[in-house]
Amino acid sequence: MKDRILHLITESTMVFLSVLSAFFISSWAEQKKEEKYQATILDHLRNDVKKDSANIIDAIEVVGVQHDSLTILLNDLYVMNHKKANANIYCTYFCYNVFEPTTSTYQSMLFSGDMKLIDMRKLKSIKDVEEVNQKLRDLHARYQSNIELFRNTFISQYNVERFDFAAVPSDKGIEFWNRLNFLSANVKYYYEALLIAQMKYNNLLADLKVRKS
């Protein structure tokens, strides 16, 4: 009887240990699977951010040149240096027109519930980037609209290749000057927003790099 009880206790212990081992192995495998999935999501997010960061840098270069050129143009017009200003008219009608941030990974995380896999307290910069992206979309649309408006209202009436500010009628001169200042202010605001966006992107890339290491 004693041997039978001992046998039953031994069998019960073995069954318990087997079930416990299976549970821990299953939990370990599930944890590894989730860690791998999380790493994949972060890799996709990192690639999106790198592409957008390069896009922002390109925009800063183009819009920065436009901003500087408009500043020079306005200064030349202010001192009535028409000959020099004529050569700089190009800056009023070109624009950076391919900005479209890549948010597919972020949106996928948001709608699938995968955001819970990311510790947002340690990766709060992702929210900053999403907010700045939305702002840049609005500013870019306004930026393009103002250039199109200026181009269609004024530039289209003149031969840009042989533009001559001195030939602008006096009744159009003040309006031309005001619109040019408004365009310059709009380009400046967009340019400064791009610089802030670049900083936000750099912060997120740094956060993602830390998480990878």
Side-chain angles (χ1 to χ4, degrees):
M1 182 69 177
K2 186 177 179 181
D3 290 341
R4 182 173 176 78
I5 292 174
L6 184 61
H7 179 70
L8 287 173
I9 292 174
T10 303
E11 278 192 347
S12 298
T13 302
M14 291 297 292
V15 169
F16 173 75
L17 289 175
S18 297
V19 171
L20 189 62
S21 297
F23 172 77
F24 279 120
I25 291 173
S26 177
S27 296
W28 178 83
E30 189 64 31
Q31 182 180 353
K32 288 298 179 182
K33 183 180 178 181
E34 187 169 287
E35 288 175 356
K36 185 176 180 180
Y37 181 57
Q38 181 182 5
T40 300
I41 289 175
L42 288 174
D43 281 340
H44 287 317
L45 182 61
R46 194 177 294 110
N47 290 334
D48 281 356
V49 174
K50 283 180 178 178
K51 289 177 185 176
D52 287 347
S53 182
N55 202 357
I56 292 289
I57 292 171
D58 288 343
I60 287 173
E61 183 177 350
V62 175
V63 180
V65 169
Q66 188 174 27
H67 167 261
D68 294 342
S69 299
L70 280 165
T71 301
I72 294 170
L73 175 59
L74 284 165
N75 289 337
D76 289 335
L77 287 176
Y78 185 75
V79 297
M80 304 294 285
N81 189 344
H82 290 154
K83 184 175 181 180
K84 189 177 177 185
N86 291 337
N88 222 8
I89 189 63
Y90 74 94
C91 66
T92 64
Y93 64 87
F94 77 80
C95 68
Y96 186 79
N97 58 7
V98 296
F99 177 78
E100 182 54 45
T102 309
T103 59
S104 55
T105 301
Y106 178 79
Q107 295 299 328
S108 175
M109 291 167 62
L110 200 61
F111 290 112
S112 66
D114 288 335
M115 291 297 289
K116 66 180 182 295
L117 298 177
I118 311 298
D119 188 344
M120 296 304 292
R121 291 171 298 178
K122 295 180 181 179
L123 198 59
K124 64 182 289 291
S125 52
I126 189 173
K127 187 177 180 182
D128 293 339
V129 165
E130 186 61 17
E131 288 176 353
V132 82
N133 276 345
Q134 186 56 53
K135 182 177 181 180
L136 284 180
R137 287 189 193 97
D138 296 339
L139 287 178
H140 184 74
R142 194 183 313 166
Y143 159 77
Q144 284 191 300
S145 175
N146 279 306
I147 290 176
E148 285 294 325
L149 180 63
F150 187 85
R151 182 190 301 160
N152 295 333
T153 304
F154 291 106
I155 304 302
S156 62
Q157 302 174 30
Y158 302 93
N159 184 341
V160 176
E161 298 299 325
R162 299 177 182 178
F163 196 90
D164 184 6
F165 276 104
V168 177
S170 57
D171 61 328
K172 290 283 186 180
I174 295 178
E175 186 181 2
F176 196 107
W177 174 260
N178 289 338
R179 287 291 188 92
L180 193 55
N181 271 287
F182 181 76
L183 177 63
S184 178
N186 187 266
V187 171
K188 180 176 183 290
Y189 188 57
Y190 182 46
Y191 176 65
E192 291 173 347
L194 286 167
L195 292 176
I196 293 172
Q198 184 185 29
M199 181 184 68
K200 300 288 187 182
Y201 269 90
N202 288 342
N203 290 342
L204 179 53
L205 283 172
D207 284 351
L208 289 169
K209 186 176 181 180
V210 169
R211 290 184 69 85
K212 188 175 184 179
S213 60

